[in-house]
Amino acid sequence: MAAAAAAAPGALGALQAGRARLVAACCARLGPGWRLPGSLTGPRVGPAMWARGWAPVAGGSAPRRGYSSEVKTEDELRVRYLEEENRGIVVLGINRAYAKNSFSKNLVKMLSKAVDALKSDKKVRTIIVRSEVPGIFCAGADLKERVKMNPSEVGPFVSKIRAVINEIANLPVPTIAAIDGLALGGGLELALACDIRVAASSAKMGLVETKLAIIPGGGGTQRLPRAIGISLAKELIFSARVLDGQEAKAVGLISHVLEQNQEGDAAYRKALDLAREFLPQGPVAMRVAKLAINQGMEVDLVTGLAIEEACYAQTISTKDRLEGLLAFKEKRSPRYKGE
């Protein structure tokens, strides 16, 4: 009977087969050796995944604002691994003051390089995206650079921006956007790709592309409706309206709004507080939880529950799970290793 159903186009069996393929694809993103539970199981290898990757270059500049070291790829992007009680937190700091942190070809290249390294670094637990320029998060595309492009160059460059924003959205660890200033167009799209957004009340946010007779091209038409609802997202995109931090919090665009401080980094400090809350949790659990949520939100509930089951199965035989149980029994803090 099941075989007959599967053979009939559009029947329940075909639907179930499609769900199975989707769940399998979901687990494939966890890395080699993962499998599905139940009848979909296959050979299982131990959960050694996300092998150690990029490490900070030694001998960076002197620490400031609690930073430990600096990876000097280009001045336009500063990548810092924090240490001591913040070990496991990585900060991506955009630093194009003269161009309001707008996306240039070089910045997109540097972001892509940094994200590619971070996604395979097992030591990374949370990533904060912020600006190192007071009053600016990211003003979107570099229009001065854009105006010099041939029409044939524009589409491919926008595709590169979209691709790097997608790469940030697909990072396996929690990501937080700290919006301490202007976030327009591609800047807001960058923030929308992060799991959590916090902003200063003085920050300004909006997808303003229709003012330039174009539309958001870095995922804004898709991520904004998913964040705040279709009708309101259409209203904001059609009007090119810009919201301040309080208004953004009211519509659900950000999770936290803070009064700006004298240093101009209130949102970053809140992002750091949130990241510290994430650090004690099991690393494997955090990664598969993010995957389960992200994948499940794109499908129906039944398929989403199957994805959750598949992701949960990956935590059962981990050393971290056993350590968590032992720590609970011994009434102590767990010492997770991401294994």
Side-chain angles (χ1 to χ4, degrees):
M1 182 175 179
L12 178 60
L15 178 60
Q16 291 172 335
R19 285 174 175 160
R21 286 193 296 271
L22 180 58
V23 176
C26 170
C27 284
R29 293 186 57 190
L30 293 172
W34 296 110
R35 60 161 175 79
L36 299 173
S39 62
L40 300 174
T41 57
R44 176 167 180 138
V45 182
M49 61 180 183
W50 300 296
R52 182 179 178 180
W54 198 31
V57 175
S61 62
R64 68 184 181 91
R65 285 187 179 176
Y67 294 136
S68 59
S69 59
E70 182 174 320
V71 179
K72 286 192 173 180
T73 52
E74 292 284 344
D75 286 340
E76 291 187 345
L77 182 68
R78 295 174 178 173
V79 184
R80 296 186 175 94
Y81 281 60
L82 308 193
E83 291 184 353
E84 298 178 353
E85 73 274 12
N86 297 322
R87 187 180 300 274
I89 302 172
V90 177
V91 179
L92 296 180
I94 306 174
N95 185 45
R96 297 191 76 222
Y98 64 94
K100 297 184 178 179
N101 284 352
S102 56
F103 285 116
S104 64
K105 291 180 179 179
N106 185 60
L107 178 59
V108 170
K109 179 181 178 181
M110 292 301 100
L111 274 170
S112 181
K113 180 179 178 181
V115 171
D116 189 57
L118 290 170
K119 68 185 179 185
S120 60
D121 190 338
K122 192 177 179 181
K123 289 186 176 181
V124 177
R125 304 286 298 279
T126 299
I127 296 168
I128 297 174
V129 181
R130 65 163 303 194
S131 166
E132 302 214 349
V133 180
I136 297 291
F137 178 73
C138 175
D142 188 335
L143 297 183
K144 291 183 179 179
E145 185 179 79
R146 177 76 58 87
V147 77
K148 298 176 183 178
M149 293 182 184
N150 293 324
S152 60
E153 295 179 281
V154 175
F157 179 62
V158 173
S159 293
K160 289 180 181 178
I161 295 177
R162 185 185 305 113
V164 75
I165 289 175
N166 285 340
E167 288 170 9
I168 290 170
N170 291 329
L171 280 165
V173 298
T175 53
I176 307 171
I179 308 171
D180 274 307
L182 199 67
L184 299 179
L188 181 53
E189 289 175 311
L190 172 62
L192 283 166
C194 295
D195 299 311
I196 300 165
R197 290 167 293 282
V198 298
S201 58
S202 58
K204 302 293 183 182
M205 289 157 272
L207 296 179
V208 297
E209 286 86 349
T210 53
K211 283 187 176 182
L212 298 173
I214 56 175
I215 69 169
T221 64
Q222 303 305 306
R223 291 193 176 96
L224 186 62
R226 285 167 168 79
I228 66 173
I230 295 174
S231 181
L232 186 53
K234 287 179 177 177
E235 181 180 330
L236 295 181
I237 291 173
F238 295 165
S239 65
R241 188 181 306 156
V242 175
L243 307 179
D244 62 26
Q246 294 290 353
E247 292 168 329
K249 176 66 168 63
V251 300
L253 180 55
I254 62 176
S255 300
H256 302 275
V257 59
L258 301 308
E259 290 299 319
Q260 190 56 280
N261 56 29
Q262 290 185 348
E263 292 79 9
D265 65 353
Y268 169 67
R269 294 192 182 195
K270 178 62 178 180
L272 194 56
D273 288 342
L274 290 173
R276 289 187 186 120
E277 285 190 60
F278 302 161
L279 287 179
Q281 321 314 329
V284 175
M286 294 290 282
R287 293 172 182 247
V288 295
K290 175 172 176 173
L291 182 61
I293 294 168
N294 285 355
Q295 297 295 315
M297 288 300 296
E298 302 302 321
V299 299
D300 62 275
L301 179 60
V302 173
T303 306
L305 291 172
I307 290 171
E308 178 185 84
E309 181 183 9
C311 288
Y312 186 96
Q314 311 315 315
T315 68
I316 294 174
S317 65
T318 62
K319 294 179 182 179
D320 278 356
R321 187 184 75 89
L322 299 178
E323 164 63 15
L325 291 173
L326 185 61
F328 177 79
K329 179 181 178 181
E330 297 176 353
K331 298 181 180 180
R332 60 171 174 80
S333 298
R335 296 182 288 269
Y336 294 128
K337 297 181 179 180
E339 301 175 350

